């Protein structure tokens, strides 16, 4: 302390000679100090590198910079501070930066082992060294993320380089495997960027570029975007990952998946698979929660805008309005039947007794008229879907039983009365049948099968689902039930 006081007094003599311009101080003393400081820290850097690994070097460098800052404050004029510190950082940190970062226990090791304090120290030391120094660090961070992601994808491939499963099973496995690992990688690396790297835009950019390379890759014949859509499907379907899971955990995972979705460049490719899975959930009543469906849509909408989610929102809206449409049709059929019965009774009371020919003719018409599903004790539910929102399906021509054709015809009348400018077109390729049987008062289990498969079971309960596409703007799904006993 006494020595510093003495040195400070001597330096003040140079300052006092020209306290306004400091020409003597700068030309004689400051220039010499800067030159000697450069030589000292060049030697100091070589000494530390030869004996210490990266974390140890950073600790010593941090201590040296702090000591130099205090020394400048104690001894030199304030105008010398930035000049001397620039030389210290140049010779101690910048000149041999890559040797420091790639040496023993270098930056890759710090990232692999999540050495938060050492990474924070690294960023603190190099932040004042200029943009180029941070670019070198950010590049290594990007390499680290890319290597981690590439390893995850490589582990998901079998040794022969062939997909070991179909699209559905691969996507589901990816949801629990590849996608889960990528989510963990993203959360880990984002924590580093937001933590020790203090949310630097440069490091955010490096993270984004690295994850874009990874997320837009393929695991053999399945894209990561496809597997991401499969993971959403696994969460949102009945009996999937959401079963028994706390809402907070589900919301957290959905947010993480949407964050990963943000790195996809071909978001339309993802939307195609997402809409197909959503259609399956809605058409088969397999959605675990409509509220959760809306949560996901809201997050996707926030990420990509209203136009991106317009079709998906339309599908969910159709599913909601279909319930109301089915109820209205049931009332319409009952009201129509009631009016028909009243008209028949009135006609019978007011007309003259029919002759034998009229009776025979009426009997023939009644025999020819096909009963509706309701007449056979069944139930009918219509699902109204907008064709522009839903995935397309191949068309198939099927010969339906008379009571099915008659029931569909009644719905067409109801639908045309309500929407006169719309035209319906039937698509049977996605239709399904669920069959349950009761023999001698004993109920048997249900069998689910595709409607185009040949199934012959007499005197049974049938639930038949048909998908209809109105042209140009609407699709309809029909559910009807028939009952019979042996």
């Amino acid at each position: 302390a006494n020595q510093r006081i003495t040195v400070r007094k001597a330096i003040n003599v140079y300052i006092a000679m020209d306290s306004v311009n400091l020409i003597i101080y700068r030309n004689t003393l400051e220039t010499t100090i800067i030159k000697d400081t450069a030589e000292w820290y060049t030697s100091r850097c070589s000494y530390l590198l030869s004996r210490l690994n990266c974390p140890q070097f950073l600790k010593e460098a941090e201590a040296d910079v702090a000591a130099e800052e205090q020394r400048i404050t104690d001894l030199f004029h304030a105008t010398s501070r930035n000049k001397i510190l620039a030389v210290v950082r140049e010779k101690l940190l910048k000149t041999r930066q890559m040797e420091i970062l790639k040496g023993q226990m270098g930056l890759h090791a710090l990232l692999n082992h999540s050495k938060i304090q050492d990474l924070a120290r690294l960023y603190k030391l190099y932040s004042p060294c200029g943009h180029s120094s941070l670019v070198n660090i950010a590049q290594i961070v990007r390499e680290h993320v890319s290597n981690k992601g590439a390893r995850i994808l490589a582990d998901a491939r079998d040794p022969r380089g062939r997909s070991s499963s179909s699209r559905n099973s691969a996507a589901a496995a990816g949801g629990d495997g590849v996608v889960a690992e990528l989510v963990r990688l993203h959360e880990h690396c984002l924590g580093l960027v937001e933590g020790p790297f203090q949310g630097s835009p440069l490091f955010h950019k490096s993270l984004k570029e690295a994850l874009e390379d990874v997320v837009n890759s393929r695991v053999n014949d399945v894209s990561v975007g496809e597997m991401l859509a499969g993971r959403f499907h696994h969460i949102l379907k009945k009996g999937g990952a959401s079963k028994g899971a706390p809402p907070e955990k589900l919301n957290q995972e959905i947010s993480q998946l949407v964050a990963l979705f943000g790195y996809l460049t071909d978001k339309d490719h993802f939307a195609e698979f997402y809409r197909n899975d959503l259609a399956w959930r809605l058409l088969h009543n397999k959605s675990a929660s409509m509220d959760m469906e809306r949560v996901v849509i809201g997050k996707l909408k926030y990420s990509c805008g209203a136009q991106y989610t317009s079709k998906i929102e339309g599908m969910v809206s159709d599913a909601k309005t279909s319930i109301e449409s089915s109820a209205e049709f049931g009332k319409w059929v009952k009201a129509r039947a009631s009016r028909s019965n009243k008209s028949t009774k009135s006609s019978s009371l007011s007309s003259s007794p029919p002759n034998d020919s009229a009776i025979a003719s009426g009997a023939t018409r009644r025999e020819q008229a096909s009963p509706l599903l309701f007449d056979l004790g069944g139930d009918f539910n219509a699902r109204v879907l907008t064709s522009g929102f839903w995935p397309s399906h191949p068309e198939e021509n099927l010969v339906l039983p008379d009571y099915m054709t008659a029931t569909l015809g009644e719905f067409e009348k109801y639908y045309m009365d309500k929407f006169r400018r719309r035209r319906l077109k039937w698509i049977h390729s996605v239709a399904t049948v669920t069959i349950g049987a009761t023999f001698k008062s004993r109920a048997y289990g249900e069998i689910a099968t595709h409607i185009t498969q040949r199934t012959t079971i007499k005197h049974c309960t049938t639930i038949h689902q048909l998908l209809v596409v109105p042209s140009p703007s609407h699709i309809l799904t029909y559910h009807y039930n028939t009952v019979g006993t042996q």
Side-chain angles (χ1 to χ4, degrees), residues 20 27 50 61 73 94 130 133 161 167 246 291 327 330 359 407 436 451 481:
V20 177
N27 292 340
S50 65
T73 300
K94 289 184 65 177
S133 296
R167 182 255 154 183
D291 289 337
I359 293 174
T407 306
I451 192 172
N481 309 278

Side-chain angles (χ1 to χ4, degrees), residues 335-347:
R336 184 184 178 94
S338 177
R339 289 193 301 269
S340 177
N341 291 335
K342 290 180 180 179
S343 175
T344 301
K345 290 180 181 179
S346 175
S347 176

Side-chain angles (χ1 to χ4, degrees), residues 27 59 130 150 201 222 231 303 330 332 343 345-346 372 384 411 447 449:
N27 292 340
K59 287 181 181 180
V222 181
R231 180 57 183 171
S303 177
W332 183 85
S343 175
K345 290 180 181 179
S346 175
L372 300 181
V384 182
F411 187 82
I447 302 172
T449 182

Side-chain angles (χ1 to χ4, degrees), residues 151-217:
R151 192 173 300 116
I152 291 171
L153 299 182
D155 291 342
R157 301 183 180 101
D158 65 8
R160 292 173 298 175
R162 237 177 229 191
S163 179
S164 59
S165 57
S166 65
R167 182 255 154 183
N168 291 333
S169 59
D176 295 329
V178 175
V179 173
E181 288 294 328
L182 291 178
V183 165
R184 281 192 285 270
L185 174 64
H186 175 249
E187 291 298 305
H188 168 70
C189 295
L190 183 62
L192 295 179
V193 171
E194 296 289 347
F197 298 125
Q198 301 179 17
S200 166
L202 178 63
F203 287 83
H204 270 294
K205 180 183 178 183
S206 294
L207 176 62
K208 178 177 180 291
E209 292 172 347
L211 284 175
E212 282 179 348
D213 292 340
V214 175
V215 172
N216 291 287
S217 301

Side-chain angles (χ1 to χ4, degrees), residues 421-443:
R421 295 185 179 181
R422 295 176 182 172
R423 186 164 55 89
L424 304 181
K425 182 170 61 176
W426 302 90
I427 294 182
H428 304 297
S429 59
V430 293
T432 58
V433 177
T434 303
I435 301 173
T438 301
F439 298 104
K440 295 182 180 180
S441 302
R442 181 179 177 183

Side-chain angles (χ1 to χ4, degrees), residues 287-306:
S287 179
S289 168
M290 292 306 297
D291 289 337
M292 194 62 67
E293 296 279 5
R294 294 185 182 93
V295 167
V296 174
I297 293 171
K299 291 181 181 294
L300 293 176
K301 184 176 182 179
Y302 181 80
S303 177
C304 295

Side-chain angles (χ1 to χ4, degrees), residues 111 114-124 127 188-200 203:
L111 293 169
S114 299
K115 299 293 185 179
I116 303 300
Q117 291 184 347
D118 292 326
L119 291 171
R121 183 178 293 112
L122 175 71
Y123 184 79
K124 177 184 175 182
S127 290
H188 168 70
C189 295
L190 183 62
L192 295 179
V193 171
E194 296 289 347
F197 298 125
Q198 301 179 17
S200 166
F203 287 83

Side-chain angles (χ1 to χ4, degrees), residues 51 73 91 111 158 217 367-368 383 486:
R51 287 167 173 77
T73 300
K91 301 303 180 181
L111 293 169
D158 65 8
S217 301
E367 289 174 1
Q368 291 176 348
R383 182 163 291 174
Q486 182 176 333

